[in-house]
Amino acid sequence: MSNDLARYDDPASLSTDVPPHAPGRHASGQHASAGAGPAAGRAGGGLFDPGQLLASFPDAVRKLDPRLMARSPVMFVVLVGSVLTTVFAVMDPGNWFGWAIAAWLWLTTLFANLAEAVAEGRGKAQADSLRKARTGTVARRLTGTDEERVPGTDLRVGDLVVCEAGDIVPGDGDVVEGVASVDESAITGESAPVIRESGGDRSAVTGGTKVLSDRIVIRITTKPGETFIDRMIGLVEGAARQRTPNEIALNILLASLTVVFLLAVVTLQPFAVHAGAEQSVIVLTALLVCLIPTTIGALLSAIGIAGMDRLVQRNVLAMSGRAVEAAGDVSTLLLDKTGTITLGNRQAAGFTPVPGVTEAALADAARLSSLADETPEGRSVVALARERYGLREQHEGDLAHAEWVVFTARTRMSGVDVGGRSVRKGASASVTAWVRERGGTVPPDAQVLTDRIAQAGGTPLLVALEDAEGARVLGVVHLKDVVKDGMRERFEELRRMGIRTVMITGDNPLTAKAIADEAGVDDFLAEATPEDKMALIKREQAGGRLVAMTGDGTNDAPALAQADVGVAMNTGTSAAKEAGNMVDLDSDPTKLIEIVGIGKQLLITRGALTTFSIANDVAKYFAIIPAMFAVVYPGLDKLNIMGLASPESAILSAVVFNALIIIAMVPLALRGVRYRPMSADRMLRRNLGLYGLGGLVAPFVGIKLIDLLISTIPGIG
């Protein structure tokens, strides 16, 4: 985020009391979505909703393409085994056992594909709604001083286009001239219009949105087919999802285990022949499929897709799965103070003059210097002076020749030069330097007042005047900000998660410390500049920590690009959205805390199901190995601790369970394992107990129940 005293862009508190002569005057409304984006409005039944399963089934069948199956080594082996057992079943059509094994191996493959198809299908409804917004439009492109109408697909990066009330924005870009009200409901789901204007952090517009009022000139920043909506469609459908490093590493581990078990099963046949218990290819294939980690192999892709889908449901778009995983490993969280930790709309609460100056004189000077300040804080100073002292704006003639000093991030102050007087109001350091440059002095009382306000958690703004008597400080304006309810508890929760929180603010160190202590953050960075943020991120990363931050302005772009998880606000500039690897459609900075939780949930879900998958293979040893060799080695019958009815029933029961457990685990893969803040060792013990022990016990129970059912079928038991 930009500095607190360098970004005043909350239009909710913009007063209409600013006189028409003040620069940059405009009316505006605020986008205050509460997660009502396209995902929020998506109706979805339960996982086993017949309509959803039916819609996903054709995709599951199409995924049987060997070229697609080869992406998962585990499931590719199952596919080859399905084909192999089918061939041998056809060669011996009277062998019911061969047909049963072949059928259940095909179901195992199909269930794995169905899990991925259902996960992908959860985003298709949203993609369909986004496609409706991606309509072909005619753009009014500027060529010099003339306009020409061209198809939106002909626009190129750098083109300037004009949009007026009723026009559809033809492509992604930044407003370079004018201010307008824009309907972004097609993107965010929020019906309230938002203000887009040139020269600020709220200049980005998205293709497919509608201009409701006024006239703006837009500079196109993306090529046709690469717009924000196009990327959203690809992301929510899963088409643009790339495998993450952790996912790739786990795939390599699963492939390695598959190779190990394949070699073990292949070398088992010579020993079986030597023992006089030669095994059929169908039995060996069933053994291989049951021993390799098919459960996690089948669900791995669905877990990743579901993790990104959970973000989409909260109106956050992750530009890569790597960002979601990184969010789960974040150890340092950089949070802007204003609007994130505090309510953000700091309001003027009082005027405290230095000795020898009346409060009314201070209020009048503060009001005059704030007429050029378009920030909510500046507007609140004007409003307080009017309400408390009845001060009104001068007539147009009084300020006709005024030279306005507009608030900027560099100067950090605003003011006006008029009638031989110069008035300034702003950050203490900036105004103090301004007074001293003009030969004036700052009385010690001014420093005492600023320290007192800062220690109370407020923000002091110095007001100074230069006239015939010289430059001098008149007093201090007290700005108040309020820490949001529940922030201390949320930071305590993050602390239990092992995450260090750092508050970033443009306030002076005393103010920053007061707010940090009240909110309960671990550290703070005061009077922060874009360079300071970048340096802080690099220091944290040099210590081996992953860093997450939010931002919305062009000056946030370098830090967003440097951070491991950079969440750009949708209301921000195109530069910020391009630099970040996530975009929050609701533009809610506090959502970064939720994103971290979702990332951790993804990693925990993957780890829990991997543990479960490997553990549940143990029971299959006790089912299949005795069935294969108990005839020649009667002593192995002691390993038949489940008391399975027959060798055929035992092997078939293991294969059936292997298939059914996949479909049974799909809801958990899509919903995710619930994350609870706790220490790493405690979490490890909990997951090993629940999913390790559970994965060990469940197959014994499941295989036994299936065996009891199968043994009741005539000719099998």
Side-chain angles (χ1 to χ4, degrees):
M1 283 279 178
S2 306
N3 301 344
D4 290 338
L5 292 176
R7 187 183 74 90
Y8 298 153
D9 58 1
D10 184 357
S13 57
L14 296 183
S15 169
T16 57
D17 295 320
V18 175
H21 53 258
R25 181 183 186 273
H26 64 270
S28 84
Q30 183 182 19
H31 171 205
S33 173
R42 183 177 66 218
L47 173 68
F48 292 101
D49 175 35
Q52 188 180 31
L53 287 176
L54 187 62
S56 302
F57 187 79
D59 288 334
V61 174
R62 281 192 290 270
K63 289 177 181 293
L64 291 174
D65 185 338
R67 292 169 297 182
L68 299 178
M69 296 292 296
R71 294 181 302 178
S72 173
V74 175
M75 298 316 300
F76 182 73
V77 169
V78 179
L79 176 66
V80 173
S82 304
V83 173
L84 197 61
T85 53
T86 302
V87 170
F88 278 90
V90 170
M91 293 171 59
D92 186 9
N95 183 1
W96 67 266
F97 178 74
W99 284 109
I101 294 295
W104 279 101
L105 291 186
W106 279 111
L107 285 175
T108 303
T109 310
L110 195 61
F111 288 163
N113 290 346
L114 192 60
E116 184 176 4
V118 169
E120 291 176 350
R122 289 153 67 99
K124 288 189 176 180
Q126 183 183 8
D128 291 340
S129 68
L130 290 172
R131 284 194 178 91
K132 295 176 183 177
R134 191 181 59 180
T135 56
T137 57
V138 176
R140 298 161 57 188
R141 183 167 60 187
L142 287 177
T143 54
T145 58
D146 299 326
E147 291 184 14
E148 63 174 340
R149 292 185 174 272
V150 298
T153 53
D154 289 349
L155 293 176
R156 295 295 178 263
V157 175
D159 285 349
L160 296 178
V161 297
V162 177
C163 287
E164 295 180 325
D167 290 345
I168 300 296
V169 177
D172 293 357
D174 289 324
V175 178
V176 295
E177 181 183 320
V179 56
S181 176
V182 180
D183 177 9
E184 294 188 340
S185 58
I187 306 298
T188 66
E190 174 58 49
S191 59
V194 296
I195 296 299
R196 292 291 176 262
E197 59 184 328
S198 62
D201 290 344
R202 295 175 181 264
S203 61
V205 290
T206 305
T209 58
K210 185 177 182 180
V211 177
L212 300 179
S213 69
D214 302 292
R215 177 184 185 273
I216 51 177
V217 177
I218 302 167
R219 178 182 288 113
I220 299 300
T221 57
T222 57
K223 300 176 182 178
E226 298 179 5
T227 65
F228 190 58
I229 290 182
D230 290 316
R231 286 193 293 169
M232 285 176 68
I233 291 172
L235 288 166
V236 299
E237 284 189 323
R241 192 187 81 89
Q242 297 180 341
R243 293 183 184 273
T244 62
N246 284 349
E247 193 173 345
I248 293 172
L250 185 54
N251 259 315
I252 294 174
L253 173 63
L254 298 181
S256 301
L257 290 175
T258 300
V259 171
V260 169
F261 283 119
L262 180 61
L263 292 175
V265 170
V266 168
T267 56
L268 186 64
Q269 182 71 322
F271 290 102
V273 172
H274 178 74
E278 182 177 355
Q279 303 296 318
S280 67
V281 173
I282 292 177
V283 170
L284 293 174
T285 302
L287 174 64
L288 175 62
V289 170
C290 287
L291 296 187
I292 61 178
T294 51
T295 305
I296 185 60
L299 299 176
L300 186 58
S301 182
I303 293 170
I305 295 172
M308 296 188 72
D309 182 70
R310 281 192 289 275
L311 279 178
V312 171
Q313 290 175 12
R314 289 162 177 80
N315 270 9
V316 177
L317 292 180
M319 299 306 173
S320 70
R322 181 192 296 266
V324 186
E325 281 190 355
D329 286 331
V330 160
S331 54
T332 302
L333 209 56
L334 306 187
L335 296 168
D336 187 60
K337 188 199 80 168
T338 305
T340 305
I341 296 173
T342 64
L343 294 177
N345 295 333
R346 293 178 298 182
Q347 302 294 308
F351 302 103
T352 307
V354 298
V357 179
T358 66
E359 191 170 329
L362 171 62
D364 183 55
R367 178 196 60 80
L368 186 61
S369 62
S370 298
L371 294 178
D373 188 349
E374 287 293 298
T375 67
E377 289 84 351
R379 297 291 181 85
S380 73
V381 172
V382 175
L384 182 64
R386 183 189 66 247
E387 294 167 4
R388 185 171 295 183
Y389 301 100
L391 297 174
R392 296 286 174 179
E393 297 82 6
Q394 283 91 340
H395 296 292
E396 286 289 334
D398 297 338
L399 298 172
H401 302 290
E403 294 184 10
W404 298 100
V405 178
V406 180
F407 182 91
T408 67
R410 288 297 174 190
T411 64
R412 298 176 68 195
M413 63 181 179
S414 63
V416 63
D417 298 333
V418 60
R421 295 191 307 161
S422 296
V423 188
R424 296 293 185 271
K425 178 220 68 192
S428 299
S430 300
V431 175
T432 297
W434 181 83
V435 170
R436 288 173 177 167
E437 285 173 2
R438 284 151 179 77
T441 59
V442 179
D445 293 317
Q447 186 63 47
V448 172
L449 292 174
T450 56
D451 289 348
R452 185 184 304 162
I453 292 172
Q455 288 169 358
T459 300
L461 299 180
L462 280 184
V463 179
L465 169 68
E466 183 185 25
D467 56 13
E469 298 179 14
R472 59 195 182 278
V473 171
L474 300 180
V476 183
V477 178
H478 183 184
L479 296 181
K480 275 189 175 181
D481 202 353
V482 180
V483 174
K484 293 180 178 178
D485 290 338
M487 291 308 296
R488 176 173 286 275
E489 289 74 17
R490 298 193 77 173
F491 288 136
E492 181 60 36
E493 180 179 336
L494 287 170
R495 202 168 290 113
R496 291 197 300 271
M497 294 162 63
I499 296 174
R500 175 172 171 264
T501 53
V502 180
M503 181 184 77
I504 299 177
T505 176
D507 287 339
N508 62 62
L510 288 175
T511 301
K513 185 178 187 307
I515 294 294
D517 291 342
E518 183 180 353
V521 296
D522 298 311
D523 202 355
F524 64 89
L525 178 65
E527 296 180 341
T529 64
E531 294 78 11
D532 294 334
K533 298 177 189 178
M534 191 78 165
L536 174 60
I537 292 173
K538 288 183 177 180
R539 285 198 304 270
E540 292 290 322
Q541 291 173 332
R545 292 178 286 272
L546 296 187
V547 180
M549 74 163 287
T550 60
D552 60 358
T554 300
N555 61 349
D556 290 322
L560 284 170
Q562 181 67 34
D564 300 284
V565 180
V567 183
M569 302 295 100
N570 189 47
T571 55
T573 62
S574 296
K577 289 196 280 189
E578 288 296 327
N581 47 27
M582 291 188 185
V583 176
D584 177 17
L585 301 181
D586 295 332
S587 300
D588 175 11
T590 61
K591 199 176 289 182
L592 184 57
I593 299 174
E594 294 181 48
I595 292 171
V596 170
I598 292 172
K600 287 188 175 295
Q601 185 183 35
L602 171 65
L603 296 177
I604 292 170
T605 301
R606 188 180 294 155
L609 288 181
T610 300
T611 302
F612 182 88
S613 177
I614 294 175
N616 73 24
D617 289 337
V618 174
K620 299 165 192 174
Y621 292 98
F622 291 92
I624 297 181
I625 298 299
M628 293 173 62
F629 297 103
V631 174
V632 293
Y633 297 109
L636 286 177
D637 194 53
K638 294 179 180 179
L639 294 178
N640 185 17
I641 59 178
M642 289 178 279
L644 303 180
S646 66
E648 292 84 359
S649 174
I651 295 172
L652 183 57
S653 297
V655 172
V656 171
F657 176 84
N658 195 61
L660 294 181
I661 198 62
I662 293 174
I663 207 69
M665 290 291 105
V666 170
L668 184 61
L670 299 184
R671 185 180 64 250
V673 175
R674 183 180 177 184
Y675 170 70
R676 296 181 178 87
M678 61 181 69
S679 61
D681 56 341
R682 184 182 172 193
M683 186 180 301
L684 178 62
R685 289 196 303 270
R686 175 181 176 273
N687 287 342
L688 284 177
L690 184 59
Y691 298 99
L693 185 60
L696 192 64
V697 173
F700 283 95
V701 177
I703 291 174
K704 178 60 179 178
L705 292 176
I706 295 171
D707 177 75
L708 291 174
L709 181 63
I710 291 176
S711 61
T712 61
I713 301 175
I716 296 180

